[in-house]
Amino acid sequence: MHMVRTFLFGRRYDVPLDQDSGSKVLPWIIALMVYLASLSLTATMTVSGLIGQWNADVAGTLTVQVPPAHNEGRERSIETDPRLKRIIAILQAQPAIQSATPLPQDQMDALMAPWLGTGDFSRELPMPWLIDVEIDRTQPLDLDNLGMQLDSTVPGVTIEDHQVWLKDLIVFARSIEVIALLILFLVTLAGVTVVVFSTRAGFDIHRNVVEALHMMGATDAYIAGQFQTHAFGVGLRGGLIGLGMALVTLLVATYFAAQINSTLMPSFSPSWLLYLCLAFMPLASAVITMYAARATVMRNLNALP
Amino acid sequence: MIRFENVGMRYGNGPEVLRDVNFSLEPGSFHFLTGPSGAGKTSLLRLMYLSARPSRGLINLFGRDIATTPRQDLPALRRRIGVVFQEFRLLDHLSALDNVALPLRIAGVPESQIRTHVAELLSWVGLADYVQSRPATLSGGQQQRIAIARALISRPKLLLADEPTGNVDNAIAMRLLYLFEELNRMGTTVVIATHNEGLISRFDYPVLRLEDGELNMIGYGSTL
């Protein structure tokens, strides 16, 4: 270890920091901080991904509901319903509308399956027709006017703009994202505080050695280098342990999420970008620990003559 | 080399431990500093090796006014001073070799040169067989010789020794004093703080005496 340190940092270890009892506990505290930070980061990125996914799914789409006719039965079909044709013709006449496609019966059945099961009886219920409309958001579209026009053609037709309900959902998701980021910040702050106090304790324990080095002409940077090299190692060790714990948690969570077969739940599958960010956590932990230790030692050294 | 003008020093809000200290040491000189315990010898040495700041007065070291010297320039000045501390201040987790090598490593001397120089000096102070020994396994006298070797390794311009013969018998004490003399002949300015007046009287060097925080030149060792 000593040789590796000398090789990596070109400097010997004059202050025996690795002999402190604090040096044995600190990596585990940092590991816990990195673990919590990794989970917060996972929550932030997952929610952010979900928002992006929702936006991508419904951005530029509308759903038009056409109520069932009074005499409609098992024989109803998209092709034979004249009301549908009239509605689609109006929709397609709008410059902002790119396409208007009725949802086929089998897709309707799939949508209703969680509530009604997979039997054929869904066709016997008076279900509305759904028309999937793709719009170009760059072009103006007066939805109120269009709604009135459709309602006068077929009474009871409604337009659902997904942006309306999505907006509320996004506000909620963003608030979760902000809370997760806040937790990430607080965990980092707590980690830095622990490192600062631990470094101060180490400085006091080894004050005699520090003063001896100082009297021999060691610069503040040389002495701080002893502490920061040690802190980097501690931060890296703690970071790797914390990352290991976070990866196990993620794998377990991904496994259980895959077992839930529900279209109501958003899918949980961590992206490669998340794994890439997590991979940098030990390095980030090492660098933050190193700079916190350096700043603390430099400030303490400033008190020496 | 060193000039003190009306220097006073106190710790915190306590009384002055040094009062109106005036003296100057020429380059290449050899001085004894004596006085009873608690007279302020260690405090005076601390001012000389820049471990403390005076509460008043002027200290000029190597031609620089210490009060106006920027803090970042002080390490370079300290590297020109070798100090033998009364309590040795050896680093217990390092071997004798690594302890003696510290000033060279701090000064950035290449590792290839360090081992040869250190082994040579340890041999000179009679510790050739203890190169890899930790201080805790050595006697007080052996530790003191390591401390002296550490102070000498970087060939300082100024050597300050605080009771360097306190833990050794007379024969070794004389040998150490001859070592300091030899270093002095090579151009190093030497100040030895000791209350062993018997030892001082064996050498014909000027003696500074501190009593109740006041410094006086009282003559030469051989005339005391």
Side-chain angles (χ1 to χ4, degrees):
Chain A
M1 190 68 185
H2 189 90
M3 285 182 68
V4 171
R5 230 176 350 235
T6 307
F7 173 74
L8 281 177
F9 303 104
R11 183 175 287 167
R12 298 180 70 94
Y13 215 43
D14 302 331
V15 186
L17 294 163
D18 51 354
Q19 292 170 11
D20 297 350
S21 56
S23 289
K24 293 171 181 68
V25 178
L26 192 57
W28 291 100
I29 297 174
I30 292 175
L32 189 64
M33 298 295 176
V34 170
Y35 174 69
L36 294 174
S38 298
L39 294 190
S40 300
L41 185 70
T42 303
T44 306
M45 291 186 71
T46 304
V47 170
S48 179
L50 274 178
I51 293 170
Q53 195 181 318
W54 288 337
N55 262 324
D57 285 351
V58 300
T61 64
L62 299 172
T63 301
V64 174
Q65 276 194 42
V66 182
H70 293 300
N71 57 350
E72 206 168 58
R74 287 184 67 90
E75 61 283 351
R76 79 173 197 159
S77 79
I78 293 167
E79 291 75 22
T80 57
D81 193 334
R83 300 174 313 139
L84 260 183
K85 287 181 179 169
R86 287 204 299 275
I87 293 294
I88 287 170
I90 293 169
L91 290 171
Q92 285 175 340
Q94 307 297 319
I97 290 178
Q98 292 172 326
S99 70
T101 315
L103 212 61
Q105 189 63 47
D106 55 339
Q107 280 189 33
M108 288 279 292
D109 292 343
L111 275 178
M112 298 308 294
W115 290 273
L116 303 177
T118 51
D120 202 28
F121 52 82
S122 66
R123 289 166 187 265
E124 295 173 6
L125 295 169
M127 302 289 292
W129 291 111
L130 297 179
I131 302 170
D132 199 11
V133 179
E134 281 183 30
I135 56 172
D136 179 1
R137 289 270 178 201
T138 60
Q139 297 223 35
L141 179 64
D142 187 345
L143 284 178
D144 292 337
N145 203 7
L146 179 64
M148 283 191 289
Q149 199 180 343
L150 294 177
D151 191 55
S152 64
T153 309
V154 177
V157 170
T158 57
I159 300 174
E160 273 186 32
D161 185 354
H162 305 303
Q163 288 294 341
V164 175
W165 65 264
L166 186 62
K167 206 169 141 189
D168 294 337
L169 200 58
I170 285 176
V171 167
F172 174 67
R174 287 273 182 234
S175 63
I176 290 176
E177 200 180 24
V178 168
I179 290 168
L181 275 175
L182 192 67
I183 291 170
L184 182 66
F185 171 74
L186 290 176
V187 164
T188 308
L189 194 68
V192 168
T193 308
V194 167
V195 172
V196 166
F197 279 100
S198 162
T199 307
R200 269 192 208 164
F203 190 93
D204 288 339
I205 290 167
H206 301 291
R207 183 172 279 276
N208 278 342
V209 177
V210 169
E211 284 180 355
L213 294 173
H214 184 69
M215 289 308 120
M216 279 181 249
T219 58
D220 289 357
Y222 180 95
I223 297 169
Q226 302 279 319
F227 283 84
Q228 75 188 47
T229 304
H230 174 259
F232 185 88
V234 168
L236 192 63
R237 255 193 337 265
L240 286 170
I241 297 168
L243 175 65
M245 287 158 61
L247 286 179
V248 169
T249 307
L250 264 183
L251 287 176
V252 170
T254 310
Y255 171 77
F256 282 111
Q259 305 304 307
I260 302 168
N261 186 19
S262 169
T263 51
L264 292 173
M265 289 286 288
S267 68
F268 176 74
S269 52
S271 65
W272 63 268
L273 184 64
L274 173 64
Y275 282 115
L276 190 68
C277 289
L278 290 180
F280 276 102
M281 290 298 264
L283 187 64
S285 149
V287 171
I288 290 171
T289 307
M290 183 179 81
Y291 276 105
R294 181 183 172 84
T296 308
V297 173
M298 289 299 260
R299 210 168 62 174
N300 281 16
L301 285 171
N302 226 15
L304 296 180
Chain B
M1 173 67 65
I2 301 181
R3 198 173 77 245
F4 274 50
E5 284 179 20
N6 301 318
V7 170
M9 184 190 172
R10 65 173 81 237
Y11 291 101
N13 293 323
E16 275 198 322
V17 291
L18 295 174
R19 283 191 298 277
D20 296 319
V21 174
N22 289 283
F23 71 93
S24 86
L25 305 181
E26 292 304 313
S29 61
F30 192 120
H31 285 78
F32 283 110
L33 175 64
T34 189
S37 294
K41 295 192 296 293
T42 300
S43 296
L44 184 59
L45 288 179
R46 284 189 68 196
L47 288 177
M48 290 164 81
Y49 62 71
L50 307 177
S51 165
R53 295 263 181 178
S55 43
R56 62 189 171 88
L58 182 141
I59 297 176
N60 191 294
L61 188 63
F62 303 118
R64 298 190 67 166
D65 177 4
I66 296 307
T68 58
T69 301
R71 193 174 175 279
Q72 65 266 26
D73 291 353
L74 296 180
L77 291 181
R78 289 193 187 102
R79 285 199 287 273
R80 298 167 73 180
I81 305 170
V83 186
V84 182
F85 299 102
Q86 191 172 8
E87 67 282 21
F88 316 143
R89 292 206 182 184
L90 297 175
L91 276 54
D92 288 337
H93 66 290
L94 297 182
S95 66
L97 186 139
D98 284 333
N99 264 289
V100 177
L102 261 181
L104 297 181
R105 290 197 171 116
I106 287 170
V109 174
E111 206 64 28
S112 55
Q113 294 176 24
I114 289 177
R115 186 165 280 271
T116 321
H117 288 162
V118 174
E120 202 175 294
L121 188 57
L122 279 173
S123 172
W124 202 42
V125 295
L127 292 173
D129 296 334
Y130 300 92
V131 167
Q132 292 305 331
S133 301
R134 297 284 174 95
T137 64
L138 301 173
S139 69
Q142 287 170 324
Q143 289 184 35
Q144 194 154 32
R145 278 182 277 161
I146 293 173
I148 290 168
R150 187 179 66 186
L152 302 184
I153 190 72
S154 53
R155 295 185 184 168
K157 295 282 176 214
L158 172 65
L159 178 75
L160 304 171
D162 195 359
E163 301 287 357
T165 57
N167 289 284
V168 293
D169 58 38
N170 272 346
I172 294 179
M174 286 303 289
R175 196 176 151 193
L176 289 175
L177 263 295
Y178 290 140
L179 188 86
F180 292 143
E181 260 193 321
E182 198 172 326
L183 200 73
N184 176 244
R185 274 195 288 275
M186 289 160 67
T188 299
T189 306
V190 178
V191 178
I192 310 285
T194 177
H195 60 262
N196 187 345
E197 294 191 353
L199 195 71
I200 294 172
S201 65
R202 295 187 184 198
F203 294 87
D204 195 25
Y205 292 119
V207 180
L208 301 166
R209 184 174 176 82
L210 255 177
E211 195 140 16
D212 290 333
E214 290 179 5
L215 186 76
N216 293 297
M217 168 79 182
I218 58 167
Y220 286 78
S222 57
T223 59
L224 290 178

